[in-house]
Amino acid sequence: NFADDTTLSACDVGMEEMLHNLEDETLTAILWFDNNFMKLNQSKCHFLTSGSEKEHGPEHLWVRVGNELIWESKSEKLLGVTVDNELNFNDHLSNVCKKAGSKVTALARVVRILPFHKRRLILKTFIESQFSYCPLVWMFCSCEMNRKINHIHERALRLVYDDYISSFDELLRNDKSVSFHHRNIHLVATEIYKAKHDLSPPFMKEIFVASTTRDTRSGDSLAKPHVKKESTGVRTMENFGSTIWNTMLPKELKSCTSLDKFKESIKSWIPDNCDCVLCRINVKGVGRIKKSEIFE
């Protein structure tokens, strides 16, 4: 629930079971509304499904909400985030990139008459902020979309620093910042720290589960879910979070005594040891290769 927006969800191994559960939960909500002198606007309801293509097939689904039949949508906007039935958030990020790109273009028109501190203020306030809303929801985006985000970031940095020679990494170092993907890694690490120190909602501990291993060297580690290599389970918060905390994050950051100290210290950490799909190097004729495999 958020203000007057209510979102119901259901999950099951079969489509028929899932639809039955969703209609049952919806009926419960409608009865609750009636008992509390409230009314559900059925015409404003939307229906979205995501799952196996084989299970779903080409059939266009619908669900009954009160006396209305709500047909399935391909994407819907929920609290400022466009959620699509593939859960790749391409529609959402396309809109965000479009907004950020237009602001970079506007900056390019006036960059010659602005002092440096004003240009950098515009970068931080009007351009980078576009990618700061709900990043943990869309951070597992496609490589193509990640390239678009980096391209916009690079264009903005070149305008601010009047530097059209340096590489993207050099521009980031000059700005004393990191890419948006690396910032998202910082955010995941921060959420894990909060969960481990009881500073976040209880459900976060269901995502970041402490390891039960008896190995004292792993006493502070997170449980690694069992997923097949390169399967969809790899690109989940549970799996990626355990990789960040167990193998990527420096020990001195894990041992920070307060959340404020952790947030301040992690700003200087560049997660260049990340081997996720977005951080791999694209080799022509070979594909995307992990950095660790190249150096080996």
Side-chain angles (χ1 to χ4, degrees), residues 92-105:
H92 175 72
L93 288 174
S94 293
N95 292 330
V96 173
C97 287
K98 185 177 180 179
K99 292 179 182 178
S102 65
K103 294 181 184 298
V104 173
T105 301

Side-chain angles (χ1 to χ4, degrees), residues 176-204:
K176 296 182 180 179
S177 62
V178 294
S179 67
F180 289 115
H181 178 60
H182 284 175
R183 293 183 195 192
N184 293 340
I185 292 177
H186 288 180
L187 289 175
V188 175
T190 302
E191 290 302 323
I192 297 174
Y193 182 93
K194 289 164 63 177
K196 292 182 72 66
H197 292 81
D198 297 322
L199 300 173
S200 59
F203 75 86
M204 294 300 289

Side-chain angles (χ1 to χ4, degrees), residues 19 22-23 26 30 40-48 60-73:
L19 293 174
L22 187 59
E23 288 184 341
T26 303
I30 292 174
L40 173 67
N41 191 339
Q42 300 170 3
S43 63
K44 289 188 176 181
C45 292
H46 304 281
F47 172 45
L48 198 69
H60 199 52
L61 301 175
W62 55 268
V63 66
R64 185 177 297 277
V65 177
N67 298 322
E68 295 279 342
L69 294 182
I70 309 300
W71 290 91
E72 178 187 16
S73 302

Side-chain angles (χ1 to χ4, degrees), residues 8 10 48 55 84 208 217 248:
L8 301 175
L48 198 69
E55 177 72 24
D84 58 90
F208 305 120
R217 293 172 298 178
M248 292 171 54

Side-chain angles (χ1 to χ4, degrees), residues 22-212:
L22 187 59
E23 288 184 341
D24 188 56
E25 294 293 335
T26 303
L27 180 59
T28 302
I30 292 174
L31 292 174
W32 188 92
F33 290 145
D34 290 340
N35 292 334
N36 288 274
F37 308 100
M38 302 171 69
K39 181 176 176 61
L40 173 67
N41 191 339
Q42 300 170 3
S43 63
K44 289 188 176 181
C45 292
H46 304 281
F47 172 45
L48 198 69
T49 63
S50 181
S52 171
E53 186 176 353
K54 293 180 180 179
E55 177 72 24
H56 188 161
E59 181 183 1
H60 199 52
L61 301 175
W62 55 268
V63 66
R64 185 177 297 277
V65 177
N67 298 322
E68 295 279 342
L69 294 182
I70 309 300
W71 290 91
E72 178 187 16
S73 302
K74 289 186 177 181
S75 65
E76 292 293 343
K77 197 168 186 178
L78 177 63
L79 302 180
V81 177
T82 302
V83 183
D84 58 90
N85 57 4
E86 297 292 335
L87 295 182
N88 55 32
F89 297 95
N90 282 342
D91 292 344
H92 175 72
L93 288 174
S94 293
N95 292 330
V96 173
C97 287
K98 185 177 180 179
K99 292 179 182 178
S102 65
K103 294 181 184 298
V104 173
T105 301
L107 174 61
R109 295 194 188 105
V110 298
V111 69
R112 296 301 177 187
I113 62 174
L114 292 176
F116 169 74
H117 70 279
K118 292 288 186 180
R119 300 198 300 265
R120 194 169 188 272
L121 181 63
I122 291 174
L123 167 68
K124 301 298 179 182
T125 307
F126 294 102
I127 299 173
E128 291 188 357
S129 62
Q130 298 294 320
F131 301 98
S132 300
Y133 182 69
C134 295
L136 297 187
V137 174
W138 53 258
M139 67 174 295
F140 299 105
C141 61
S142 65
C143 295
E144 179 184 358
M145 197 57 65
N146 188 59
R147 284 195 297 270
K148 289 184 179 180
I149 295 173
N150 288 340
H151 178 64
I152 292 172
H153 197 186
E154 182 179 343
R155 280 180 57 205
L157 288 171
R158 293 196 186 283
L159 290 171
V160 170
Y161 287 93
D162 193 23
D163 184 349
Y164 301 92
I165 300 175
S166 301
S167 66
F168 182 40
D169 289 336
E170 291 171 338
L171 289 168
L172 289 172
R173 284 194 293 270
N174 191 27
D175 189 54
K176 296 182 180 179
S177 62
V178 294
S179 67
F180 289 115
H181 178 60
H182 284 175
R183 293 183 195 192
N184 293 340
I185 292 177
H186 288 180
L187 289 175
V188 175
T190 302
E191 290 302 323
I192 297 174
Y193 182 93
K194 289 164 63 177
K196 292 182 72 66
H197 292 81
D198 297 322
L199 300 173
S200 59
F203 75 86
M204 294 300 289
K205 284 195 172 183
E206 298 177 12
I207 301 175
F208 305 120
V209 182
S211 175
T212 56

